[in-house]
Amino acid sequence: MNFTRALTLLCALVVTPFAMAANNSIDNSEQLKQKLASTLSVEVQSLNVSQIPGLYEAITDRGVLYISQDGSKLFHGNLYDLDNGMKNLTEAALAGPRVEMIKQFEPNMLVYKAKDEKHVVTVFTDITCGYCRKLHNQMGEYNDLGITVRYLAFPRQGVPSKNANDMAAIWCSADPLKAMTDAKGGKLVDTAKNCDANISQQYNLGQTLGVNGTPAIVLEDGTMIPGYQPPEQLLQALERVQ
C-alpha cells in the first residue's frame, strides 16, 4: 500500500460529522495559503474547515489537499464517509467549484448538441485516447438520448507537446467539430491552422478539477466520472443526480 492510500484509509476511519466553516473563520488562512503556494507551487482557490476535526480542506489548481491547522502536516487523497454509503467527501468538495470554473470555459468548448436536449455533460478529451475515440464514435447515440456533449482539451502528453499542438489545430479549424471527428477517426491533423485556442488553459483547468486521465466526464452537478461511459449508462448516471 502506498503512502497516499495509507493516509486516505486512515482518514476514512476517523471521519465524523463536523460543521463546515467559511474561509474567513480560519485565523491563519493567509499564512496557510502562502505556505502551500511557496512549498508546493500551487494556487489555493479556497480554504475551508474539513469534515475531520483539525484539518483544513484546500481547493487548489492541482486538486484538493488537506493541511493541519498549524500548517505542519499535509496529505493528498480521498476522504470517505463510512456512515453515508462511503460518500466521497473529496469529490463532493470539488463538485460545486467544478461547475463554476467550467462556466468560464464555455466559449472554448466544442459542442455536439442534442436536438432534444435533456442533459449536458462536459468531457475532457484527447484525440489519441482509445476510449475517447469510442465515446466520440457513439456521439449520435448520446445525442439521441438527449445528451449534449461539450469537449474541453486535455492532451495527455501535457503542454507543450505535439499532442497539444494537434488539438490546438482542431480548435482553430474552420469546422472544429468535423476536424475532431476526422482526428478521432485516425486522419492526420492539419497543423497549419493557428489561433489562440487556450489549450494550455483547458489542460490546466482539467488538472485543477482532478482530471488524471481521459475521457473524464463532468455531470451537470459537478460530479466527475473518470473513464468511458456507454450512452445508456451515462443517461442513468445523469438521471440519478437530478
Side-chain angles (χ1 to χ4, degrees):
M1 180 180 294
N2 62 33
F3 183 67
T4 298
R5 285 193 61 201
L7 281 170
T8 300
L9 291 174
L10 174 62
C11 288
L13 291 173
V14 298
V15 170
T16 56
F18 195 74
M20 296 297 287
N23 184 39
N24 59 13
S25 69
I26 299 174
D27 293 337
N28 59 340
S29 173
E30 291 307 315
Q31 293 94 321
L32 293 176
K33 287 182 179 180
Q34 181 57 44
K35 185 165 187 177
L36 288 171
S38 60
T39 305
L40 302 176
S41 298
V42 298
E43 178 184 338
V44 181
Q45 276 120 22
S46 68
L47 188 68
N48 298 288
V49 175
S50 80
Q51 296 196 45
I52 295 182
L55 283 181
Y56 295 146
E57 172 190 274
I59 296 179
T60 78
D61 59 350
R62 293 296 180 268
V64 178
L65 301 173
Y66 297 93
I67 186 169
S68 60
Q69 290 178 341
D70 65 359
S72 66
K73 305 293 186 299
L74 176 140
F75 75 90
H76 174 252
N78 290 325
L79 299 183
Y80 296 90
D81 189 340
L82 294 177
D83 295 328
N84 189 19
M86 286 295 288
K87 179 181 179 181
N88 188 328
L89 300 176
T90 304
E91 171 64 23
L94 276 172
R98 279 196 190 108
V99 172
E100 293 306 312
M101 285 188 270
I102 283 174
K103 282 181 182 178
Q104 303 171 36
F105 283 79
E106 288 178 353
N108 300 111
M109 295 176 179
L110 303 190
V111 182
Y112 294 81
K113 187 172 177 61
K115 183 177 180 180
D116 183 18
E117 182 180 281
K118 298 181 178 69
H119 303 284
V120 178
V121 297
T122 303
V123 180
F124 286 88
T125 193
D126 181 298
I127 58 174
T128 66
C129 154
Y131 277 105
C132 296
R133 291 181 173 185
K134 184 173 183 177
L135 186 154
H136 193 81
N137 288 339
Q138 294 178 282
M139 188 62 71
E141 296 176 54
Y142 293 104
N143 289 165
D144 287 345
L145 291 173
I147 302 172
T148 290
V149 177
R150 312 185 302 185
Y151 280 149
L152 287 173
F154 193 83
R156 295 178 299 165
Q157 296 172 13
V159 179
S161 66
K162 180 183 183 303
N163 191 196
N165 292 340
D166 286 347
M167 296 191 78
I170 290 170
W171 256 256
C172 294
S173 172
D175 188 346
L177 301 188
K178 182 179 184 300
M180 177 66 78
T181 297
D182 289 345
K184 287 188 174 177
K187 294 184 180 180
L188 293 177
V189 176
D190 180 5
T191 54
K193 305 294 183 182
N194 189 19
C195 70
D196 185 10
N198 292 324
I199 298 300
S200 62
Q201 289 93 329
Q202 294 181 50
Y203 177 75
N204 290 338
L205 174 68
Q207 289 190 311
T208 299
L209 301 186
V211 176
N212 52 32
T214 54
I217 305 171
V218 182
L219 307 186
E220 291 154 312
D221 69 339
T223 301
M224 186 168 70
I225 303 176
Y228 163 79
Q229 298 289 307
E232 289 287 352
Q233 189 171 319
L234 179 58
L235 178 62
Q236 291 171 12
L238 286 162
E239 290 175 342
R240 282 196 297 269
V241 303
Q242 283 188 324

